[in-house]
């Protein structure tokens, strides 16, 4: 948090704002704490820290408990902590085969979780928006019951997002230049319509969820799969977006330059070996999926568990291709970890061996450590939780956004 | 520039420091300017801007010209600009076959340039340090003549640099864990020994030189060649260093996964197709180089200019391999440009066609634009100029570093 903006010099106002964030950040880190401990942790005087804590109390961002801290000598002090009945973030998820909603409170806890099957592949944006509005309404009602105040929302979309928040390209939905937020707003109840709503690529949100709730790594390459392969690079706790917002196209890394033709027009892209369609095709399950209603990933996992050779072979090939592409990524950006997420996390048992083999063989200058490859605990919920957490993170980073 | 450090709250002192940098940055951007214009550009009051300019005058960072600005009405004001006789940075270069030194003034101009042939391949660090000390002494004497005060130095090294500024691994010098700065300091005259000296990887410094003096792009992948392949990723004006400082190992991106064995232990690395040794071997020039004293890159350029088929074929193959590796990098980090630098810049005529073909074929989701591939004007001087410019950049970013 800088008090020197690009436009102007450092100011008293900017200082106050930065110190408010400093105090809220300290309460967030310390959990249940006292004004004195906040002063100590931030380097502020007790008077300043106390006055800033009071401001946060008034804004409903922290709450006060009557109890004194145990194990401390002297005058008992009041305990303050982040408010679990205060501002919260709403996350919405456009899955290819479901609509989801969740609510995350200021402490980062997922308090509400809704997932409803839906046919979104190739679906009209209006219908998808209506499905999202439905789960959002349900989430709002439950938030009211819990005393949580929704202060913003985020929508996770399997597609590329343009600078003006439109969905530029979502191949699995069949969308081009869709104003999803506009359509959604029209269908939301008044209290939600008034909130700031952001739309973001699901792979980016999955990576951010991992950043905020994962192992603590701040430099990692995050690779996930739903219908397509989504990847994101996080550098020093920041998402690398790229000049035009196209960073993370791991699915089109050349893995075998003279290999299979890809829908993108190139040859040998990762997607042709580790994409969902490619894996299903490789093990002859494409037909089974198109006829039935089975979850594709469960179908693969069941096949692998049952020891079906074609499935095991296809997943091994996918793991090796992922390993080759990631070896290039690791050599280029030297991350602390590689995180396997989304549907890949549910297939990790069968993908990891091939990935480790290729990473170990191809990352040699800085020798590859097998514990650098981790499996996300958020699995397919990462993007939606990331969308809700982004709202909360913005409040923690700058509490003054709520005081307009 | 943040006034809120990780350790403490925003302070008056921090504000003054940030505003001093704000003013120096404005003078740097505006060129010749007045106190009133500085106030306008920064948003500071005239009184504050004037007082900060006076502080910079006293520190010798800006200088005052008697003249008034033309085309302005009212009381003539004094012109101030960055001091071209003030603080300056010294850059030193450990080439495999030369020692170099240069001096860059506050305005970013290269005022002194020295390059001496030297046999550094497999050379003892003591001898290399002695060669560097010699060119540094010559640079110091010339800086005195120009009225420039050296305030810091940087050393460009073809190797990996550890956290404690040691040269961890420099394969072409044959070094492991060498304290080059320590050895160099012992050989420097007193006035240089007292200065802060930093050592940095040449590829990183070449990329920084491009950032500060190039096309204005702030997101690019920089790929250069001397003895090895050096690459660097610059994101939003910052060098991406990686968790362990190993980012940019483009030379070991898998290009043809089942291809030629590499010295690193892997197969099909870029270095085996586009590295200097690989190209010389491919066109049968290895022997010629080992016997003679010819510059290897000039030898290749001469052969290509003369239309020698094996040379043209080897350079085309190198260009294609570079294109495949860079297609992966572009898909992953979505840079504004790819910069071809160092020795590659001198071979650009023969490398570019193959690179453009592969990039065009393999970067499809965000379609590749041929003007995204640019050739550095700094050629093989980039790292040394980057080392000197880094000193100047630190002063501009925080002028208080010069004030005790």
């Amino acid at each position: 948090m800088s008090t020197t903006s690009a436009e102007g010099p450092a100011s008293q106002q900017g200082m106050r704002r930065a110190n408010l964030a400093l105090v809220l950040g300290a309460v967030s880190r310390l959990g249940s704490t006292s004004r004195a401990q906040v002063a100590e942790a931030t380097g502020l005087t007790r008077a300043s820290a106390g006055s800033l804590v009071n401001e946060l109390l008034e804004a409903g961002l922290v709450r006060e408990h009557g109890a004194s801290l145990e194990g401390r000598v002297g005058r008992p002090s009041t305990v303050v902590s982040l408010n679990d009945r205060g501002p919260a973030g709403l996350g919405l998820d456009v899955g290819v085969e479901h609509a989801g909603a969740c609510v995350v409170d200021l402490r980062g806890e997922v308090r509400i979780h809704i997932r409803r099957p839906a046919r979104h592949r190739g679906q009209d944006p209006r219908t998808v928006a209506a499905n999202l509005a439905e789960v959002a309404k349900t989430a709002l009602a439950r938030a009211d019951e819990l005393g949580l105040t929704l202060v913003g929302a985020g929508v996770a979309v399997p597609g590329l997002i343009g600078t003006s928040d439109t969905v530029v390209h979502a191949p699995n939905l069949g969308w081009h230049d869709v104003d999803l937020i506009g359509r959604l707003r029209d269908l939301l109840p008044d209290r939600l319509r008034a909130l700031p709503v952001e739309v973001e690529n699901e792979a980016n949100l999955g990576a951010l969820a991992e950043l905020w709730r994962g192992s603590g790594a701040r430099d990692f390459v995050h690779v996930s799969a739903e219908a397509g392969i989504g990847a994101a690079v996080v550098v020093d706790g920041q998402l690398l977006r790229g000049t035009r917002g196209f960073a993370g196209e791991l699915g089109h890394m050349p893995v075998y330059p003279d290999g299979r033709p890809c829908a993108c027009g190139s040859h040998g892209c990762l997607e042709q070996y580790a994409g969902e369609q490619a894996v299903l095709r490789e093990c002859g399950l494409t037909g089974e999926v198109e006829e039935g209603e089975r979850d594709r990933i469960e179908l693969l996992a069941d096949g692998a568990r049952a020891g079906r050779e074609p499935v095991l072979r296809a997943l091994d090939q996918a793991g090796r291709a992922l390993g080759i592409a990631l070896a290039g990524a690791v050599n280029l950006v030297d991350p602390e970890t590689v995180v396997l997420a989304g549907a890949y996390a549910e297939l990790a048992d069968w993908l990891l061996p091939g990935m480790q083999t290729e990473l170990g063989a191809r990352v040699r200058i800085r020798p590859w450590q097998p514990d650098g490859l981790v499996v996300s605990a958020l699995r397919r919920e990462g993007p939606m939780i990331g969308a809700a957490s982004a709202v909360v993170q913005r409040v923690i980073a700058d509490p003054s956004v709520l005081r307009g």
Side-chain angles (χ1 to χ4, degrees), chain A:
Chain A
M1 176 113 331
S2 169
T3 57
T4 314
S5 75
E7 307 91 54
S11 67
Q12 295 290 346
Q13 227 177 348
M15 267 174 63
R16 179 121 194 122
R17 197 166 137 187
N19 287 339
L20 206 58
L22 192 69
V23 166
L24 188 59
V27 176
S28 170
R29 270 196 318 283
L30 296 168
S32 287
T33 184
S34 69
R35 288 173 171 77
Q37 282 174 308
V38 168
E40 203 177 307
T42 55
L44 291 160
T45 63
R46 287 205 175 198
S48 298
S51 136
L52 290 158
V53 165
N54 290 344
E55 239 183 273
L56 295 171
L57 272 170
E58 279 164 39
L61 291 160
V62 304
R63 67 190 184 92
E64 218 161 7
H65 312 237
S68 68
L69 283 173
E70 287 177 49
R72 293 244 154 192
V73 190
R75 196 162 61 87
S77 57
T78 330
V79 177
V80 292
S81 63
L82 290 178
N83 194 355
D84 60 354
R85 295 175 63 86
L90 171 66
L92 299 173
D93 190 19
V94 182
V96 173
E97 283 157 358
H98 75 272
C102 73
V103 173
V104 169
D105 72 18
L106 268 190
R107 303 166 308 169
E109 277 192 31
V110 181
R111 302 287 293 279
I112 296 164
H113 183 283
I114 299 158
R115 188 184 174 103
R116 292 197 186 143
R119 292 171 171 273
H120 287 167
R121 196 180 298 273
Q123 187 59 273
D124 173 52
R126 193 178 308 266
T127 309
V128 174
N131 290 341
L132 287 185
E134 277 310 308
V135 288
K137 274 181 228 166
T138 309
L140 175 64
R142 293 203 199 155
D144 284 344
E145 288 165 23
L146 296 171
L148 290 163
T149 312
L150 301 180
V151 296
V155 187
V157 174
L160 287 164
I161 310 303
T163 43
S164 58
D165 276 0
T166 51
V167 181
V168 175
H169 179 57
N172 291 291
L173 303 171
W175 294 0
H176 286 276
D177 297 320
V178 168
D179 175 18
L180 179 63
I181 293 187
R183 288 170 185 276
L184 178 60
R185 262 191 214 286
D186 289 345
L187 302 169
L188 288 176
D190 288 349
R191 277 164 60 204
L192 289 178
R193 197 179 301 160
L195 299 182
V197 181
E198 301 209 342
V199 62
E200 175 62 282
N201 172 270
E202 60 174 12
N204 285 348
L205 288 170
L208 289 172
E210 195 65 29
L211 171 69
W212 295 323
R213 316 169 62 90
S215 65
R218 291 173 57 79
D219 293 273
F220 56 89
V221 173
H222 188 267
V223 54
S224 57
E226 287 290 335
I229 295 176
V233 181
V234 173
V235 177
D236 197 19
Q238 299 287 324
L239 197 61
L240 192 156
R241 291 182 180 275
T243 303
R244 296 163 188 78
F246 283 63
E249 277 296 345
L250 195 80
H252 298 281
M253 288 271 265
V255 172
Y256 301 106
D258 304 317
R260 299 178 184 165
C262 183
C264 78
S266 180
H267 281 80
C269 298
L270 174 62
E271 194 167 284
Q272 292 309 313
Y273 303 89
E276 187 192 87
Q277 293 295 335
V279 174
L280 289 168
R281 203 187 314 121
E282 186 73 7
C283 53
L285 288 176
T286 323
E288 223 165 302
V289 166
E290 278 171 11
E291 288 159 31
E293 291 287 309
R294 286 292 310 278
D295 179 286
R296 291 142 192 257
I297 303 306
E298 280 173 25
L299 190 71
L300 287 170
D302 286 349
R305 255 183 237 108
R308 286 175 60 177
E309 264 309 317
V311 176
L312 292 172
R313 215 168 35 237
L315 289 175
D316 179 63
Q317 185 182 56
R320 286 182 175 269
L322 277 166
I324 293 171
L326 288 166
V330 169
N331 277 315
L332 192 67
V333 304
D334 183 22
E336 192 175 341
T337 57
V338 170
V339 182
L340 195 66
Y344 282 149
E346 297 177 22
L347 299 169
D349 285 351
W350 305 283
L351 295 171
L352 288 179
M355 292 178 72
Q356 293 283 19
T357 301
E358 295 296 338
L359 282 162
R362 299 182 187 281
V363 179
R364 309 285 297 197
I365 301 295
R366 159 211 149 175
W368 174 251
Q369 305 296 329
D371 62 1
L373 180 55
V374 299
V375 178
S376 169
L378 301 173
R379 300 179 160 230
R380 290 195 257 178
E381 305 302 325
M384 180 169 76
I385 293 174
S389 302
V391 174
V392 168
Q393 288 290 327
R394 275 194 293 277
V395 173
I396 302 272
D398 186 3
S400 66
V401 295
L402 290 187
R403 300 174 63 79

